[in-house]
């Protein structure tokens, strides 16, 4: 659960930054067709490096925020809780790993098409192609800092989400005392108890 929560937060930060960059590229080149792009590292080197940084973060490079969502989630699928079907979750792990490889291929291809090589003739001397502006740096800085900080200090987010994660697994044990559903019971009854607790919380009872 922690890996899934971390993955959603990291995805929001990294993908948000990639959307910022896509908008900046479109603002300069007036197109989003990758076949017409290229040479960003020549014409706007700082923006090109930031794009490369965000691509690496999205791929789950260790030391960046994306790593703590992808790798632990895949690893957890290899050894699921006893009440879960091991074969099913290991199949999920394989599917997730294949998806990670495909995503890496696409992102690296996108980076190669847009950032490397020489600028196309139609944009080679365009006055619109400028590097990142101070206003863009100001907007991007919080996201870039979070990508690095959460990559090196994932505990900051885990400490914020752990209470809610633990609370989601708390049910009344058989003897009436609070307990962890996955430790107190096994099988479908555990999930049925969690469902009832969720319904009661939603109805305010």
């Amino acid at each position: 659960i922690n890996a899934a929560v971390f993955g959603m937060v990291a995805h929001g930060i990294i993908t948000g930054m990639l959307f910022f960059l896509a908008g900046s590229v479109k603002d300069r080149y007036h197109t989003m067709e990758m076949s017409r792009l290229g040479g960003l590292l020549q014409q706007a080197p700082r923006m090109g490096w930031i794009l490369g940084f965000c691509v690496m973060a999205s791929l789950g490079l260790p030391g960046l925020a994306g790593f703590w969502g992808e790798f632990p989630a895949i690893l957890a699928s290899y050894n699921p809780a006893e009440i879960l079907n091991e074969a099913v979750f290991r199949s999920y792990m394989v599917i997730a790993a294949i998806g990670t490889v495909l995503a890496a291929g696409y992102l690296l291809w996108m980076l190669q098409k847009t950032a490397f090589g020489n600028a196309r003739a139609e944009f080679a001397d365009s006055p619109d192609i400028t590097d990142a502006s101070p206003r863009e740096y100001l907007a991007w800085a919080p996201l870039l800092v979070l990508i690095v900080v959460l990559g090196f200090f994932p505990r900051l987010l885990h400490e914020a989400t752990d209470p809610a994660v633990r609370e989601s697994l708390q049910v009344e044990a058989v003897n009436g005392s609070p307990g962890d559903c996955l430790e107190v019971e096994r099988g479908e009854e555990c999930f049925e108890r969690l469902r009832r607790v969720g319904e009661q919380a939603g109805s305010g009872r």
Side-chain angles (χ1 to χ4, degrees):
I1 295 176
N2 274 327
V5 172
F6 204 108
M8 288 187 286
V9 173
H11 177 76
I13 295 170
I14 297 168
T15 304
M17 188 61 227
L18 287 170
F19 272 112
F20 265 133
L21 289 165
S24 294
V25 169
K26 187 177 187 298
D27 184 58
R28 288 161 171 78
Y29 290 88
H30 308 293
T31 181
M32 291 299 290
E33 296 181 28
M34 285 193 290
S35 60
R36 296 176 60 193
L37 300 176
L40 185 63
L41 282 168
Q42 289 183 349
Q43 296 183 294
R46 289 188 291 274
M47 187 183 296
W49 279 108
I50 292 173
L51 175 61
F53 170 82
C54 292
V55 166
M56 294 301 108
S58 186
L59 293 179
L61 189 73
L64 300 177
F67 174 80
W68 297 106
E70 292 185 12
F71 182 73
I74 293 175
L75 190 63
S77 297
Y78 181 79
N79 188 28
E82 293 181 15
I83 62 172
L84 302 176
N85 188 304
E86 186 176 276
V88 170
F89 273 80
R90 289 190 177 180
S91 298
Y92 291 158
M93 179 192 70
V94 173
I95 294 171
I98 293 173
T100 300
V101 173
L102 293 176
Y106 172 76
L107 285 168
L108 292 174
W109 174 72
M110 179 274 294
L111 183 64
Q112 186 270 331
K113 292 284 288 184
T114 58
F116 292 93
N118 297 318
R120 298 293 185 267
E122 61 178 310
F123 300 117
D125 300 316
S126 173
D128 294 333
I129 314 301
T130 59
D131 215 335
S133 66
R135 182 177 60 182
E136 288 171 323
Y137 283 133
L138 185 63
W140 300 347
L143 298 180
L144 294 172
V145 169
L146 280 173
I147 290 172
V148 175
V149 170
L150 292 179
F152 279 96
F153 305 103
R155 188 174 178 179
L156 294 174
L157 183 58
H158 286 153
E159 288 179 346
T161 59
D162 264 348
V165 171
R166 292 181 182 278
E167 182 67 23
S168 71
L169 295 175
Q170 291 294 315
V171 296
E172 291 297 317
V174 176
N175 61 3
S177 60
D180 190 325
C181 176
L182 299 181
E183 294 178 358
V184 173
E185 300 182 44
R186 294 289 183 266
E188 295 183 0
E189 186 176 351
C190 171
F191 290 105
E192 179 61 24
R193 281 177 174 267
L194 284 176
R195 185 187 64 78
R196 290 200 299 268
V197 170
E199 289 177 350
Q200 291 173 2
S203 62
R205 290 180 294 175

